[in-house]
Amino acid sequence: MNFFDFQTSYDSRGLNAVIWLPVVFALLVVMLPKGDKGQIRVATLIAMLLDMGLAIWAFLRFQPGGREFQLEFRMPWINEIGVSYHLGVDGLAVSLVLLTGVLGPLVVLSSWSFVQERVKEFHLALLLLQTAMMGALCSVDTLLFYVFFEAMLVPMYLLIGVWGSEERQMAAMKFFLYTLVGSLLMLVAMLAVYFIAQPAGARTFDYAQLYNGLMAASREVSQCLKAGGEAGCDPTGLSATGAALLRFGPYMFFAFALAFAIKVPMFPVHTWLPDAHVQAPVAGSIVLAGVMLKMGTFGFWRFAVPLFPTVARHWQTPIAVLSVIGIVYGALMCLAQRDIKKLIAYSSVSHLGFCMLGIIAFTKEGASGSAYQMLNHGVSTGALFLLFGMLYERRHARLMSEYGGIAKVMPIYSAFFLIITFSSIAVPGTNGFVGEFLVLLGAFKSGLPLWFGVLAGTAVVLGAAYMLWMVQRVFFGPLANPENKGLKDLNKREFFTALPFVIMVLVMGLKPQPFLDVLAPSTDRYVARALWASDEGHLNEQQVKVRVRPNPAGPAGAPAIAPPPPTPVLGMPVIPTLRQMPPRIMQAPGQRQP
């Protein structure tokens, strides 16, 4: 074996280490004495530090000019139904893997002294949750993605329901039921895609095969709807796959979209989030805000829009309306809060509305801003929950009225909180500014009405209002409450736990280009797939961008991915009411000149 073969083999197994290293250490934690809390914490911290190192390695090994999915590993799993253990990362996935890896050790440090009961079980839940999140981000097989996507529910349910606050069981049950219902609908839609995208005997759950198998059918449906005008599409000339996609495509899209909208969460399926955040321990809130909510936006980016581009374009305006409502509603709800943790929770609804607006704008600027905002939100909102958790550990009070003037006794803590606040309200020079600016620019350049961008822009002002109002009441003014006078500033562990967040805010705000370069190929492909077959003049150029081309050879011994089989040309009757989708879905969003 020469050096290049060795390097390829080494790279192909790197993602396995990223995913399964926490499980290996979880087995070690199981064998440790239950009462030895120090060893349990240290072992978990070492696991998360090693996992962070592997995540950084994966990010540095990713080549933006290379294949779409890199560091691939593939092996057979359930051959009878075409399920493989197929891993790989694109630019967005590897960036979220980096974010997940960096947050891992900080989550452990954040709960170092806060969690004193059932310490072993708590850290086992953290390790298993880390594996599930990494696995979902690295999965290229759709059923494998679903397995990891569902696996996240159990440890997070336990984190909220066992180690949360007074109403933790209600919040945990609400979180579990909301996300489970959406996930089961997505599974049904996933099975439908599995049967429709490929003929019998050649079916597989591999993402490349499913997507490539629907490409020609998506073009057929687009052209048919365009030619049919107001009368609708005549399915008699469509292939079997095209006719099935015309008939069932809207249902499948809504199943995927609902599952991911709940996870984001979008308005109006967001109501589980404030309860979950308020009742969760600080570690649970950091993981939930930092990574798990991104599974929703990641799902829209990877599955819902690319697999059903025609339906996604048709419903672009309604989804954008819900995104803007979420942005403004979340900001207004923050102004009404007196509970600091609930205020931070509702700010997530607003900030993730920006992510969804960028995704649904179908422009390069909007998609780039959305991807960057996913990373920003994990840093800034995760840091807000971390810092408030440190204050809550001292005072065990969430209401703003309990505080006031604490900058006088906790100057370092107050400085850190103020920097993170600047990030949350998108002050230039911080990471939040880059993401929100690109999203708004993309919204203005899209075919959406101008007022979408204007309304979203008002939330930037509202964000500054509610965050600075909270900072003023908590940190400044007279130190009136006697219980606040004896508060201690950050100790060394807390200081070095919060410092990385401050560094990330400044680095990503002042030097965003390295991250945007890694995201750029994924952004280009996402926009091309969203607009697939909407412009005949650029069809060949689009097809080069949109086709998923995994490594055909894979690691040594892995079966190659075959090209998608030709779509059989057969007619299929269609439900008349689903033929009436307006012809505007055929048109790519117009580009308004700045």
Side-chain angles (χ1 to χ4, degrees):
M1 178 184 293
N2 60 37
F3 172 78
F4 296 103
D5 291 337
F6 172 79
Q7 186 66 54
T8 300
S9 177
Y10 174 72
D11 284 352
S12 71
R13 286 159 176 80
L15 292 182
N16 277 304
V18 171
I19 295 170
W20 298 109
L21 180 70
V23 172
V24 174
F25 274 82
L27 296 175
L28 174 62
V29 170
V30 167
M31 293 185 289
L32 291 174
K34 192 169 186 178
D36 201 338
K37 300 177 182 179
Q39 286 192 41
I40 292 171
R41 293 187 179 108
V42 169
T44 307
L45 179 60
I46 292 173
M48 293 298 193
L49 287 171
L50 292 175
D51 205 43
M52 179 182 70
L54 290 169
I56 294 173
W57 164 83
F59 185 81
L60 295 177
R61 286 293 300 166
F62 186 84
Q63 301 296 321
R67 287 183 172 274
E68 176 178 3
F69 292 106
Q70 300 180 31
L71 309 178
E72 280 191 82
F73 180 86
R74 186 186 307 112
M75 61 180 290
W77 185 17
I78 311 175
N79 287 330
E80 290 77 6
I81 58 173
V83 181
S84 64
Y85 178 75
H86 188 184
L87 306 177
V89 286
D90 61 1
L92 177 60
V94 79
S95 299
L96 291 174
V97 164
L98 176 64
L99 174 65
T100 308
V102 170
L103 291 181
L106 303 179
V107 167
V108 177
L109 289 172
S110 72
S111 57
W112 197 269
S113 59
F114 186 76
V115 175
Q116 296 296 334
E117 301 294 331
R118 299 180 179 177
V119 174
K120 177 187 279 192
E121 292 84 352
F122 177 82
H123 289 86
L124 285 173
L126 288 182
L127 290 168
L128 295 177
L129 183 57
Q130 185 82 350
T131 285
M133 293 187 298
M134 289 294 196
L137 293 171
C138 297
S139 297
V140 183
D141 185 278
T142 54
L143 193 61
L144 183 65
F145 167 82
Y146 180 81
V147 170
F148 283 119
F149 189 82
E150 287 292 87
M152 290 184 286
L153 296 183
V154 176
M156 179 53 71
Y157 172 83
L158 294 176
L159 287 175
I160 299 172
V162 177
W163 294 276
S165 299
E166 299 82 8
E167 300 180 11
R168 57 185 180 273
Q169 294 181 358
M170 177 276 296
M173 186 61 68
K174 196 172 182 180
F175 157 78
F176 192 88
L177 292 178
Y178 262 74
T179 50
L180 181 64
V181 168
S183 299
L184 292 177
L185 291 175
M186 179 178 68
L187 177 61
V188 174
M190 196 176 288
L191 292 172
V193 173
Y194 169 79
F195 285 107
I196 288 174
Q198 297 162 107
R203 292 185 177 127
T204 173
F205 281 96
D206 195 86
Y207 177 75
Q209 295 284 76
L210 293 181
Y211 175 80
N212 292 337
L214 290 177
M215 278 182 60
S218 295
R219 183 191 175 193
E220 286 181 25
V221 172
S222 292
Q223 300 301 318
C224 182
L225 289 168
K226 184 177 180 180
E230 294 294 338
C233 175
D234 181 5
T236 55
L238 297 179
S239 66
T241 303
L245 191 61
L246 176 66
R247 180 177 183 179
F248 300 111
Y251 300 124
M252 293 187 286
F253 172 78
F254 283 123
F256 275 99
L258 179 61
F260 297 133
I262 291 172
K263 188 71 81 173
V264 170
M266 291 180 67
F267 179 89
V269 290
H270 67 285
T271 56
W272 64 268
L273 181 65
D275 293 329
H277 269 316
V278 169
Q279 301 302 323
V282 59
S285 292
I286 295 173
V287 174
L288 188 60
V291 183
M292 285 193 66
L293 302 185
K294 311 307 177 304
M295 296 299 171
T297 51
F298 178 76
F300 272 100
W301 185 293
R302 174 68 62 84
F303 296 99
V305 173
L307 290 177
F308 312 102
T310 305
V311 185
R313 290 197 302 273
H314 173 65
W315 291 99
Q316 179 191 23
T317 300
I319 295 175
V321 168
L322 292 178
S323 301
V324 172
I325 290 175
I327 292 171
V328 178
Y329 166 83
L332 292 175
M333 286 298 294
C334 287
L335 287 172
Q337 300 307 313
R338 299 299 180 266
D339 184 313
I340 300 174
K341 205 171 184 185
K342 189 168 284 189
L343 183 150
I344 301 172
Y346 274 109
S347 74
S348 286
V349 177
S350 184
H351 291 149
L352 288 165
F354 275 100
C355 291
M356 285 306 306
L357 182 61
I359 286 174
I360 209 66
F362 301 150
T363 59
K364 183 175 180 180
E365 294 83 0
S368 296
S370 174
Y372 205 64
Q373 193 66 5
M374 293 182 208
L375 305 178
N376 294 338
H377 179 265
V379 172
S380 59
T381 307
L384 287 174
F385 280 117
L386 169 71
L387 290 170
F388 178 70
M390 294 175 179
L391 187 59
Y392 183 80
E393 190 172 352
R394 289 162 167 78
R395 286 279 284 107
H396 295 281
R398 295 197 303 259
L399 297 179
M400 297 180 204
S401 58
E402 294 286 336
Y403 300 99
I406 67 171
K408 297 179 176 67
V409 293
M410 302 180 69
I412 298 176
Y413 173 86
S414 302
F416 279 7
F417 202 103
L418 194 58
I419 293 172
I420 301 301
T421 297
F422 288 158
S423 168
S424 182
I425 64 179
V427 170
T430 65
N431 56 344
F433 173 77
V434 179
E436 291 190 8
F437 174 79
L438 287 172
V439 168
L440 291 175
L441 180 62
F444 284 126
K445 293 184 68 175
S446 71
L448 296 169
L450 184 66
W451 62 268
F452 281 70
V454 173
L455 282 179
T458 61
V460 177
V461 180
L462 293 174
Y466 66 72
M467 286 301 296
L468 294 178
W469 171 67
M470 183 264 289
V471 167
Q472 173 65 32
R473 295 196 62 186
V474 172
F475 294 94
F476 301 104
L479 190 62
N481 193 330
E483 295 186 45
N484 296 328
K485 294 179 181 179
L487 292 177
K488 302 294 184 182
D489 209 347
L490 299 180
N491 58 37
K492 290 183 179 179
R493 174 184 60 83
E494 293 171 330
F495 177 85
F496 287 106
T497 303
L499 183 61
F501 285 103
V502 174
I503 294 174
M504 286 187 286
V505 162
L506 298 177
V507 169
M508 294 177 68
L510 298 173
K511 193 70 174 176
Q513 200 57 49
F515 299 95
L516 293 174
D517 287 342
V518 172
L519 294 169
S522 295
T523 298
D524 290 341
R525 290 187 179 99
Y526 168 77
V527 175
R529 286 167 184 166
L531 303 180
W532 165 239
S534 63
D535 185 354
E536 292 184 55
H538 298 87
L539 193 58
N540 292 332
E541 179 184 345
Q542 279 184 309
Q543 188 165 356
V544 171
K545 284 185 178 181
V546 302
R547 184 172 293 278
V548 179
R549 302 178 185 276
N551 185 351
I561 287 287
T567 305
V569 181
L570 296 171
M572 182 179 290
V574 181
I575 297 175
T577 56
L578 295 180
R579 303 179 193 175
Q580 306 304 321
M581 294 174 67
R584 63 184 176 87
I585 62 177
M586 293 304 310
Q587 300 166 6
Q591 301 295 312
R592 187 180 294 111
Q593 295 298 323

